[in-house]
């Protein structure tokens, strides 16, 4: 056996107790052979595999590209956790199908038109002192220049703002180091106003720019009235980054069409791609956002376009706030180093990355050391004087991310689109150190907090544009491919391919999971979009249907497992609003709600209130129901919307003669359900007794469950009263109905109560030794648990106290497990075999396993009172 397999099987054995070491490693070798796995593969698997219930160290927010959404996944497991509805509807979350989420989407209307798709590119997490604070996430829509703000307290989009002057954007969203502003750079030059301007006037009337959005960091709101745009030449601005530390207060945006070429392939002119890349260099825009923000406060310094402040080029130039630095042909990524001293720019048509020195740029600015001006009068700094060094990386360098050893080793990673590689190099010395192949054509790469002042290193993710032959063929449209790379060693190691069925992700950002603190539930009756109590909040007992003119308001509640009210009758043509509050407090007890055929849907997480408004424009009967499988009685969680036409006369249907139960049958059924309830209650009482005696209230997780259970239980007396009243009146049918309701509450109580009890046992029991823990696993995995339930007589005897049942008990039990057949004639065993009609089988347990199981039995005996 090779040493690495040996090592890995040792690791594996640590967790797979119950299988002997030899059999584990031979099993492992068998699997390797069958699946054609190499040792490298096994190592990669061990680095990424996350056992059930395990958590990831990092959380990644990836742009969802043309889906207009955001994806959330974990690293290193690469398990997708969520899609966040942002610019486009997302039905599961009710995003775009209830009133409040429709309102957020409507903020994204452009010139009155609702836009239902988006092209998300660059997510960014809010920063404090240049480090992620885990509070807010923003992202841009390139196609319909907009920025959205997502609240990381509930992972829900709370605001969308439309760029009032751009016709497309790209270099956003980027936070400044204290989240004072969000930078959003234009992409394709276009008139800033909304009028027609002929192509021939491109240079005169088309413009680019950077919008500097004021951000209210505390409330997570973009403040459009305090925001402004820096006018720039129509150079097709591209990616941006905010300066930090040394370069704090400055912004950097590159561009790719210094030629200001305007295409015209249909007129016999060369296409854009030829004309836009004629010059050897394009421009890095360097601007002082801090100074410009001050300037923009004075109306004399701005012109108002579409109701929005724009600082003209000449104002910015006059105030020494806007400069250009040439950069190699058609650059793409621009990334400021964690200390703000260097700016790394990749030219996608150049094989180099250029490292600019902020010191040098600043010196040129201070000494007014320029080589000239562009046609718009912007001073140009000499590229040679601004550059620190250039690194020859390979074909098609695009984007950069910093590693944790940036300070000492200048650790940086760059994606090479054409070469399909990630290169590790040193931006201080411009020396290449390592490269790894990816599949295929990488765009961005995502480092762990790799864009902040505090890069964590460890992993880097390649966001590849093409998957080609990497996955099963699922038709001509292939999945996207994110590849996880381990960067902890000297050589990079490719660990994992994650296909993504949502495209095309451009940039992703990763944050330590420990920095995120989302809630598990809302305060009862919350409207997540205002953060306040919803006007439709309804508590149990307050449900009602109110008519105001021809608008019918339903104030309803949902809780396992019913929707109240269950019948809503309205007139054809009425407007109907359902206000629904999820009364649950239990974690993850989400209900969904829809009215069939009315194109409405809501997701009701615990405590949330939603509103659904629609016009009852078709006569008929429309079931409504809960769309999440929330409990055993989920299918019963429904009701009816009945829409009748007030101008019609409805003839009541002939009453069908239904067969009825005889009074004796009814009485028998009543007695049966009452007896069942009494028996169920006994179980509940014993569980409650156990919980109280063991002070469940000391353990918050248990306490939550118990409260939830008692909540259900507390609803019984009211039902019992009704059942008894009907029984007295002789209406057994109704009495049975209410007794059934009681049983349902009991089942829910018992379900949660027993979960609480099992949890509590673990909390109050004496701690298990390692051997006992292994013994428990061996007991369950070895099949013992199939017949023996600790604390109960099941298909086999209860094993509590088994070590005391025989003289020299430990030895006796060990022998019996090893060779049960030898004791079939023992009178005690014989009687057991007769009683249970089963023989204890030989489970092929090893000696170590048997030893561990005995330790487990000892632990059981110590805690016998708990079972
Ligand atoms: S962009 Cu797509 S690979 Cu929009 Cu940041 Cu470079
Ligand atoms: Cu609530 Cu299903």
């Amino acid at each position: 056996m090779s040493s690495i397999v040996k090592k890995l099987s040792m690791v594996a054995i640590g967790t797979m107790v119950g299988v002997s070491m030899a059999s584990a490693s031979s099993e492992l070798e068998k699997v390797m052979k069958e699946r054609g796995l190499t040792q490298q593969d096994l190592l990669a698997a061990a680095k990424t595999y996350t056992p059930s219930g395990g958590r990831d160290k990092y959380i990644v927010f990836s742009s969802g590209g043309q889906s207009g959404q955001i994806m959330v996944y974990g690293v290193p497991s690469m398990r997708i956790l969520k899609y966040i509805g942002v610019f486009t509807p997302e039905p599961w979350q009710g995003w775009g199908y209830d009133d409040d989420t429709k309102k957020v989407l409507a903020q994204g209307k452009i010139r009155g038109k609702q836009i239902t798709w988006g092209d998300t590119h660059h997510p960014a997490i809010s920063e404090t002192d240049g480090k992620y604070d885990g509070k807010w996430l923003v992202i841009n829509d390139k196609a319909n220049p907009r920025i959205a703000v997502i609240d990381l307290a509930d992972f829900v989009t709370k605001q969308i703002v439309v760029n009032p002057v751009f016709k497309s954007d790209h270099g956003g969203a980027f936070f400044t180091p204290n989240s004072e502003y969000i930078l959003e750079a234009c992409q394709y030059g276009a008139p800033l106003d909304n009028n027609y301007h002929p192509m021939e006037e491109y240079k005169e009337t088309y413009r680019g720019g950077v919008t500097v959005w004021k951000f209210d960091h505390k409330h997570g709101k973009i403040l459009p009235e305090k925001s402004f745009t820096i006018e720039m030449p129509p150079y097709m601005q591209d990616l941006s980054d905010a300066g930090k530390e040394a370069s704090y207060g400055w912004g950097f945006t590159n561009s790719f069409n210094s030629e200001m070429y305007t295409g015209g392939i249909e007129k016999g002119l060369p296409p854009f791609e030829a004309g836009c890349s004629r010059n050897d260099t394009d421009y890095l825009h360097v601007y002082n956002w801090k100074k410009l923000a001050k300037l923009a406060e004075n109306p004399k310094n701005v012109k108002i376009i579409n109701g929005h402040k724009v600082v003209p080029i000449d104002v910015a130039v006059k105030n020494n706030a806007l400069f250009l630095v040439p950069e190699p042909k058609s650059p793409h990524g621009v990334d400021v180093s964690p200390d703000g001293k260097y700016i790394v720019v990749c030219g996608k048509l150049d094989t180099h990355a250029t490292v600019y020195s902020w010191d040098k740029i600043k010196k040129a600015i201070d000494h007014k050391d320029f080589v000239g001006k562009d046609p718009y009068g912007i001073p140009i700094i000499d590229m040679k004087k601004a550059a620190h060094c250039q690194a020859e990386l390979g074909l098609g360098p695009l984007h950069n991310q910093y590693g944790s050893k940036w300070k000492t080793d200048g650790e940086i990673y760059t994606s090479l689109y054409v070469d399909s590689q990630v290169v590790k190099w040193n931006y201080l010395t411009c020396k290449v150190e390592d490269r790894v192949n990816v599949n295929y054509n990488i765009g961005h790469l995502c480092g762990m907090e790799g864009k902040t002042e505090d890069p964590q290193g460890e992993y880097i993710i390649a966001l590849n544009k093409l998957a080609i032959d990497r996955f099963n063929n699922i038709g001509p449209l292939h999945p996207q491919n994110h590849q996880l790379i381990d960067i902890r060693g000297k050589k990079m190691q490719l660990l994992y391919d994650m296909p993504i069925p949502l495209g095309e992700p451009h940039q992703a950002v990763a944050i330590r999971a420990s920095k995120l603190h989302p809630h598990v539930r809302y305060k009862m009756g919350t409207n997540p979009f205002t953060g306040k109590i919803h006007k439709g909040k309804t508590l149990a007992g307050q449900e009602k249907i109110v008519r105001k003119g021809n608008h019918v308001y339903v104030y309803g509640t949902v809780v396992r497992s019913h929707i109240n009210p269950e019948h809503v009758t309205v007139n054809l043509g009425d407007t109907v609003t359902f206000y629904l509050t999820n009364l649950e407090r239990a974690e993850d007890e989400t209900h969904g709600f829809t009215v069939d055929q009315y194109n409405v849907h809501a997701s009701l997480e615990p405590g949330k209130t939603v509103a659904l408004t629609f016009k009852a424009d078709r006569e008929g009967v429309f079931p409504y129901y809960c769309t999440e499988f929330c409990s055993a009685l989920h299918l019963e969680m429904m009701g009816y919307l009945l829409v009748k036409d007030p101008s019609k006369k409805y003839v009541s249907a002939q009453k069908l003669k239904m067969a009825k139960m005889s009074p004796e049958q009814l009485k028998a059924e009543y007695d049966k359900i009452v007896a069942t309830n009494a028996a169920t209650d006994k179980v509940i009482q014993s569980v409650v007794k156990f919980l109280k005696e063991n002070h469940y209230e000391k353990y918050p997780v248990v306490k939550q469950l118990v409260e939830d259970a008692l909540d259900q239980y507390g609803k019984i007396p009211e039902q019992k009263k009704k059942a008894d009243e009907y029984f007295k009146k002789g209406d057994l049918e109704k009495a049975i109905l209410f007794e059934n309701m009681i049983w349902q509450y009991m089942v829910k109580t018992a379900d949660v109560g027993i979960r609480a009890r099992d949890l509590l046992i673990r909390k109050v029991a004496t701690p298990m030794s390692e051997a006992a823990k292994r013994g428990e696993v061996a007991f369950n995995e070895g099949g013992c648990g199939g017949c023996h339930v600790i604390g109960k007589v099941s298909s086999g005897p209860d094993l509590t106290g088994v070590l005391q049942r025989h003289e020299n008990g430990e030895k006796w039990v060990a022998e019996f497990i090893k060779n049960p057949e030898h004791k079939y004639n023992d009178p005690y065993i014989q009687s057991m075999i007769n009683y249970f009609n089963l023989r204890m089988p030989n489970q092929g347990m090893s000696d170590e396993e048997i030893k561990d199981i005995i330790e487990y039995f000892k632990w059981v005996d110590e805690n016998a009172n708990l079972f």
Side-chain angles (χ1 to χ4, degrees), residues 682-701:
K682 246 194 201 149
V683 174
I684 293 174
Q685 288 313 328
S686 76
V687 172
V688 168
K689 185 160 163 273
F690 174 85
L691 289 166
K692 285 193 177 153
E693 281 172 1
N694 289 288
H695 303 286
Y696 72 89
E697 68 284 351
K698 284 201 249 162
Y699 310 93
V701 191

Side-chain angles (χ1 to χ4, degrees), residues 558-562 584 589-592 625-631 633-635 637:
V558 297
V559 71
R560 273 161 294 166
S561 312
H562 53 261
E584 308 276 359
E589 264 310 329
T590 294
H591 301 282
Y625 70 98
C626 169
T627 59
E628 288 272 336
F629 209 111
C630 51
S631 66
L633 293 160
H634 148 80
L635 294 179
M637 194 166 176

Side-chain angles (χ1 to χ4, degrees), residues 750-767:
D751 174 40
V752 184
I754 288 170
R755 255 199 286 160
R757 187 198 60 186
D758 291 347
L759 249 174
L760 187 57
I761 288 178
R762 297 280 145 178
K763 303 264 180 204
V764 299
T766 54

Side-chain angles (χ1 to χ4, degrees), residues 86 94 151 169 226 319 366 433 444 447 491 738 775 779 791 797:
V86 184
D151 188 346
D169 75 11
K226 293 196 172 164
N319 287 282
D366 290 346
E433 289 177 353
H444 274 269
K491 304 284 296 167
F738 282 104
F779 182 84

Side-chain angles (χ1 to χ4, degrees), residues 50-103:
T50 305
S52 177
R55 296 286 195 277
D56 280 304
K57 185 165 178 191
Y58 296 99
I59 298 295
V60 176
F61 297 94
S62 168
S63 103
Q66 298 92 322
S67 74
Q69 299 171 357
I70 285 181
M71 289 176 288
V72 186
Y73 62 83
V75 162
S77 76
M78 305 300 271
R79 296 177 300 184
I80 295 182
L81 301 170
K82 188 176 252 178
Y83 291 157
I84 303 174
V86 184
F87 295 109
T88 51
E90 201 296 295
W92 177 46
Q93 294 156 33
W95 188 248
Y97 299 93
D98 71 41
D99 296 6
D100 298 298
T101 61
K102 275 183 196 162
K103 264 189 226 158

